[in-house]
Amino acid sequence: MQQYLGICAGASTITSVNLHRNGQGTTIGNVFNKPHEGNPREVITNLLNNIDIDKFDGVVVTGRRFKELIDLETISEPQAAELALKFINKDKKAYNAIISAGGETFMVYQLDRAGKISKVFTGNKCASGTGEFFLQQTRRMGVNMEEAIEFGQGEIPHVVSGRCSVFCKSDCTHATNIGVPKGQVVAGLSQMMASKILELLKNTPKEDIIIVGGTTQIDVMMDYLKASIKNLIIPEEATYFEALGAAVYASDLKNGHKVDLDNLFSKKSSQFDFHKALSQFEDQVNFVELDRGVAKEGDRCILGLDVGSTTTKIVALRESDLKI
């Protein structure tokens, strides 16, 4: 029997799929799924240290964020999605699109008649419509995801902003502070996230669509989407779809990549560029201090207000000498 491993290094979660191939075909074996909480290197290292990596005939990695830091064969997420669809779609049914709704980004892969990705639609980088944001807000309400989903079932959604994560967070916080039931807030979050996906589907027929990613576990959100999308399919492999595609790619490699656990990661420790300390450039900066005054009876002042999403600032400026 041959074995292949696919790993998806996602924005919030590391997922892996083990494929088995014998004379009767290829089947899915073990599935691993764990949030990395900002340390994907540690989770991937632990994953590979806890399995007999030498038993695998191929290992392939996908994911938008961290795959470049790993010294293994890599493929893009769209390619992984195509391969996973081909693997699970035994009946060769025609689908219009694959929705990838994960922790960081919502994307729509529009498909042609051959099941190949013809167009990709992605939302803005604002975090208010993502799975990770949903988890952050439910944690702020003191409930886990399972409890939040249960609370939100059948509730009237409390309207929350979807245009900005800061505004959305403020809406959720204000709602819970004034006593709006948690279930209504969860329903509002779910409805807002569903609307983000529907917006991405504006140029795609809203029928015969597959949705994958961690947010497929949010039943309330899925219910909103099913009301607008005819025949929305949530496959059994939804939460590890891209990792499955990576494993399928590994199974097609003629020469598997030998895994060196001692030199698994590239020398580059981060995807960020690092610059010299700002303290070295103080001579190029002018520090300006505004005159402060003491308010006196009879002063004529100009009042400036900045009403932000979380705080409000007010400055009184005396008109005669422009002192604060």
Side-chain angles (χ1 to χ4, degrees):
M1 181 177 68
Q2 295 174 309
Q3 294 191 73
Y4 306 94
L5 187 68
I7 301 172
C8 179
S12 59
T13 306
I14 302 298
T15 309
S16 74
V17 173
N18 181 351
L19 278 186
H20 299 158
R21 175 181 287 171
N22 55 31
Q24 297 179 339
T26 305
T27 57
I28 297 173
N30 294 331
V31 174
F32 172 89
N33 191 307
K34 184 176 181 180
H36 58 64
E37 297 180 347
N39 193 349
R41 184 188 299 255
E42 179 182 14
V43 176
I44 292 172
T45 300
N46 291 338
L47 164 66
L48 297 180
N49 280 333
N50 288 322
I51 61 176
D52 188 354
I53 197 66
D54 292 331
K55 288 185 177 180
F56 289 92
D57 298 279
V59 182
V60 171
V61 180
T62 188
R64 282 186 294 275
R65 293 289 298 276
F66 308 110
K67 70 178 188 291
E68 293 83 2
L69 303 180
I70 306 172
D71 185 22
L72 291 171
E73 184 87 22
T74 64
I75 60 171
S76 67
E77 281 195 312
Q79 187 178 4
E82 274 188 3
L83 291 169
L85 176 60
K86 183 178 180 181
F87 182 84
I88 70 169
N89 191 17
K90 308 298 184 184
D91 298 331
K92 297 184 178 180
K93 180 176 173 55
Y95 291 98
N96 288 311
I98 301 171
I99 301 168
S100 177
E104 182 188 53
T105 309
F106 286 175
M107 303 184 73
V108 168
Y109 301 126
Q110 195 176 81
L111 302 173
D112 61 19
R113 292 183 178 179
K116 298 291 186 180
I117 295 173
S118 57
K119 294 181 181 178
V120 178
F121 302 98
T122 182
N124 60 42
K125 293 300 180 182
C126 180
S128 65
T130 64
E132 187 62 26
F133 183 81
F134 180 88
L135 292 177
Q136 289 172 6
Q137 298 319 302
T138 55
R139 282 195 292 262
R140 288 166 63 89
M141 288 186 275
V143 297
N144 59 36
M145 191 173 83
E146 291 75 16
E147 291 170 330
I149 293 170
E150 184 179 348
F151 290 157
Q153 290 285 1
E155 286 284 358
I156 298 173
H158 177 79
V159 178
V160 296
S161 171
R163 62 192 173 95
C164 170
S165 59
V166 178
F167 288 135
C168 187
K169 181 174 68 174
S170 298
D171 286 348
C172 294
T173 302
H174 177 66
T176 53
N177 285 345
I178 63 174
V180 176
K182 294 177 182 179
Q184 293 184 16
V185 179
V186 170
L189 278 169
S190 301
Q191 186 182 58
M192 178 271 293
M193 292 166 66
S195 69
K196 293 263 187 178
I197 290 175
L198 294 173
E199 190 177 319
L200 293 176
L201 287 170
K202 61 184 178 183
N203 296 315
T204 304
K206 293 183 180 62
E207 61 179 345
D208 298 326
I209 289 174
I210 285 182
I211 184 166
V212 300
T215 60
T216 56
Q217 299 174 83
I218 306 175
D219 294 339
V220 190
M221 174 182 162
M222 294 301 104
D223 289 342
Y224 285 122
L225 289 174
K226 288 175 181 177
S228 300
I229 301 173
K230 183 180 178 181
N231 193 29
L232 179 69
I233 303 299
I234 307 172
E236 181 182 346
E237 303 83 2
T239 57
Y240 52 88
F241 199 72
E242 285 86 355
L244 172 60
V248 172
Y249 185 86
S251 71
D252 290 335
L253 289 177
K254 292 183 178 179
N255 297 306
H257 186 110
K258 184 66 176 177
V259 178
D260 181 0
L261 292 178
D262 294 326
N263 296 287
L264 183 61
F265 297 97
S266 67
K267 300 299 181 184
K268 187 179 179 182
S269 61
S270 171
Q271 290 181 305
F272 296 103
D273 293 324
F274 292 86
H275 303 280
K276 295 179 181 179
L278 288 175
S279 58
Q280 298 183 32
F281 302 93
E282 288 186 0
D283 59 336
Q284 300 181 32
V285 180
N286 292 324
F287 294 92
V288 179
E289 293 186 6
L290 298 178
D291 289 337
R292 304 294 289 266
V294 178
K296 300 176 182 177
E297 187 175 350
D299 280 349
R300 181 181 174 88
C301 295
I302 301 168
L303 203 63
L305 292 87
D306 175 14
V307 183
S309 60
T310 58
T311 56
T312 299
K313 283 77 68 179
I314 303 175
V315 171
L317 197 68
R318 185 160 49 216
E319 192 175 48
S320 62
D321 56 8
L322 299 182
K323 289 187 176 182
I324 296 173

